Amino acid sequence: MLEAVLSVDPQIGQISFPCYDFGPSGQTAHPQEGVCQGYTCRLKNNQKHKSVVRLDAVDHSLQNVIHHFTLKSTFNSTWTRLARINHYKYQAWTEFKVKFKRRVSAYVADWADPVNLQSNDRAPGLGVSAIEPPGWAEKFCEVKDTIMQELSAKWFGIGFGGQASTTDFNSMGPHGTRTGDIAPSPSPSIP
């Protein structure tokens, strides 16, 4: 897979991928079936990007910062839609609160301090309180996106303890999310 994304013109020094931020997807606790299976709602537009660069293409300047590189004049950069990054940023509140407090500490001494309130590393609308905002489980859900859910089920099966399973998709949950009972089945053949 990586070879298909990276086999480009030798003059390409940087390839950028969209990075999509996923929301709680109606979850109120860590999904038993796992992150890729449980979080299937995201913001419509990608908020950030990630890049792969050729080290010999990077200009030796002080303008290079993480995710943003200045290339030597003989190299170009490009975007690809052949791959993407799913960022499961806004998870169920119990998970998010721990993750957010740990992450924001790199930007402010105390996440309850009203400092850097416009930072993209703060959750929009959260403010400085460690109190679950009303409707948290439904926030940040603009698009239903089941690509990783479907791929991980195809590649690895879904379920517990490495056993593949099938899902009864007869009932629909919030935002059209599929819900149902998970029952064990034989492992699928992986091409």
Side-chain angles (χ1 to χ4, degrees):
M1 223 172 19
L2 189 58
E3 196 172 292
V5 172
L6 297 179
S7 51
V8 295
D9 184 305
Q11 298 306 310
I12 300 294
Q14 174 176 294
I15 301 172
S16 296
F17 309 87
C19 183
Y20 294 103
D21 288 340
F22 279 70
S25 307
Q27 302 287 348
T28 56
H30 183 77
Q32 282 187 312
E33 64 271 34
V35 170
C36 293
Q37 297 297 313
Y39 296 115
T40 56
C41 269
R42 64 172 173 84
L43 294 174
K44 183 176 182 179
N45 297 314
N46 56 310
Q47 304 296 310
K48 298 180 179 184
H49 71 276
K50 304 290 184 184
S51 298
V52 176
V53 295
R54 290 179 48 181
L55 293 178
D56 62 333
V58 177
D59 186 49
H60 300 289
S61 75
L62 296 177
Q63 295 179 17
N64 296 312
V65 294
I66 195 158
H67 308 307
H68 302 279
F69 300 92
T70 301
L71 301 179
K72 294 176 181 172
S73 62
T74 55
F75 291 95
N76 298 311
S77 64
T78 189
W79 277 82
T80 184
R81 296 276 177 198
L82 295 174
R84 68 183 201 177
I85 306 295
N86 285 353
H87 187 195
Y88 298 96
K89 184 174 184 176
Y90 308 113
Q91 299 182 10
W93 177 253
T94 53
E95 300 283 318
F96 175 80
K97 186 168 77 168
V98 171
K99 181 180 178 184
F100 183 75
K101 187 173 183 178
R102 182 181 64 233
R103 181 182 170 114
V104 84
S105 66
Y107 301 94
V108 294
D110 178 354
W111 77 305
D113 266 350
V115 177
N116 289 342
L117 294 178
Q118 302 307 314
S119 168
N120 286 337
D121 290 295
R122 287 192 176 271
L126 181 62
V128 294
S129 300
I131 299 168
E132 182 175 354
W136 177 262
E138 306 304 321
K139 288 189 181 293
F140 315 108
C141 186
E142 298 172 348
V143 174
K144 178 73 173 161
D145 185 334
T146 59
I147 290 173
M148 277 307 297
Q149 183 186 51
E150 293 165 15
L151 282 175
S152 62
K154 178 180 176 182
W155 292 341
F156 310 113
I158 57 173
F160 310 106
Q163 294 182 340
S165 63
T166 59
T167 304
D168 172 12
F169 289 120
N170 294 327
S171 58
M172 298 298 279
H175 304 293
T177 53
R178 294 177 176 158
T179 60
D181 298 324
I182 297 177
S185 69
S187 296
S189 61
I190 299 173

